[in-house]
Amino acid sequence: MTYEQYIEETRANCAKVLSDCSAGELLDVEYLRKILWEDDRVTGVISGYCTSVRGTAAENIEGVLFDNKFLEDFNERNMNMQEVMAYGTDAIDVVARCLALKHISILELVEQEQQRRRQQQREARKNAVRV
């Protein structure tokens, strides 16, 4: 996967997690940052493994290891590639997902989720009137 694909997949995974949040939780951005960081569906940081729709960690990281944007983000955090690689391909996959969060607007995703819920409510009211 390219780093852009990591960002897009991570964005989609964030949206799935936000859809499970209560309306009140969606108002607390710091809480959302914490749960998105820790949710294995988004980063895999807790288990060290993230299920991907694209393939295994080894297949996923092939395109990211030499991606300039990924390397800039990686180096910005002062991480050591040899140390991360010592933990295997899953570790690199998790790091790429964690770094991808930097490029995702949580506020934008929250607004989209709130709009989705408002639309569902409108449709439910519309269907209730028909009955």
Side-chain angles (χ1 to χ4, degrees):
M1 284 172 41
T2 66
Y3 193 41
E4 286 302 319
Q5 288 171 320
Y6 266 100
I7 293 168
E8 288 307 311
E9 186 171 289
T10 302
R11 180 178 288 114
N13 292 341
C14 287
K16 289 175 191 171
V17 171
L18 293 178
S19 72
D20 292 339
C21 291
S22 70
E25 290 171 330
L26 289 176
L27 300 175
D28 187 346
V29 175
E30 288 308 312
Y31 169 77
L32 296 176
R33 279 190 178 99
K34 182 181 185 296
I35 65 164
L36 292 175
W37 177 264
E38 293 177 353
D39 195 300
D40 278 340
R41 294 175 290 175
V42 176
T43 62
V45 76
I46 298 295
S47 69
Y49 173 78
C50 183
T51 303
S52 173
V53 297
R54 298 189 187 268
T56 67
E59 293 168 336
N60 290 342
I61 66 168
E62 287 177 6
V64 79
L65 286 175
F66 298 103
D67 183 286
N68 288 333
K69 188 173 180 179
F70 169 75
L71 293 172
E72 286 174 22
D73 287 352
F74 188 91
N75 290 329
E76 184 179 284
R77 298 279 188 227
N78 295 318
M79 290 188 273
N80 181 309
M81 186 63 81
Q82 286 180 313
E83 288 177 10
V84 174
M85 290 180 100
Y87 289 97
T89 56
D90 284 327
I92 297 165
D93 185 62
V94 168
V95 166
R97 293 172 193 287
C98 291
L99 292 175
L101 283 172
K102 170 185 175 179
H103 302 282
I104 297 168
S105 170
I106 295 171
L107 293 176
E108 184 179 299
L109 289 176
V110 166
E111 179 58 31
Q112 289 171 0
E113 177 58 24
Q114 290 170 333
Q115 286 177 356
R116 185 189 70 78
R117 290 179 186 193
R118 285 190 294 269
Q119 181 63 30
Q120 279 183 329
Q121 289 172 345
R122 282 191 293 272
E123 289 174 14
R125 283 192 302 267
K126 192 180 195 180
N127 291 334
V129 170
R130 290 182 189 166
V131 173

